[in-house]
Amino acid sequence: MLSAAFRIDERHGRWWLAFDGILSLVYGVLLIVMPLLGALVLAWWIGAFSLVFGVALIILAFRLRLRRNEYPDAPVAAAT
């Protein structure tokens, strides 16, 4: 996600994608540093991570949707 953040145009939500990448790295480090907290705490970490990550991706999706008319010649993915 961090590499994709540097490739995407700044107007299209670069900082949200970078935020998601940094959040993923911090989450991974926390799981490595504190592995003995137990299954319940692990479930809370996963839930909190999923909630924050999902909200950030939804914000990014809406920002990209607002910009879709700026590039009318861009290919559009087919819905499956």
Side-chain angles (χ1 to χ4, degrees), residues 26-36 42 45-46:
V26 169
Y27 176 70
V29 169
L30 285 174
L31 284 179
I32 290 172
V33 171
M34 298 184 254
L36 300 176
L42 183 62
W45 278 109
I46 292 171

Side-chain angles (χ1 to χ4, degrees), residues 44-69:
W44 278 99
W45 278 109
I46 292 171
F49 172 77
S50 299
L51 183 66
V52 172
F53 188 72
V55 168
L57 284 179
I58 289 171
I59 291 170
L60 174 64
F62 279 113
R63 289 182 56 105
L64 288 174
R65 186 175 183 200
L66 289 174
R67 305 264 184 205
R68 71 180 170 187
N69 293 331

Side-chain angles (χ1 to χ4, degrees), residues 5-50:
F6 291 110
R7 293 181 196 163
I8 195 171
D9 189 14
E10 185 173 319
R11 297 174 297 162
H12 298 304
R14 171 186 291 181
W15 299 112
W16 285 108
L17 201 56
F19 173 72
D20 290 339
I22 291 170
L23 185 66
S24 296
L25 289 174
V26 169
Y27 176 70
V29 169
L30 285 174
L31 284 179
I32 290 172
V33 171
M34 298 184 254
L36 300 176
L37 292 179
L40 180 62
V41 175
L42 183 62
W44 278 99
W45 278 109
I46 292 171
F49 172 77
S50 299

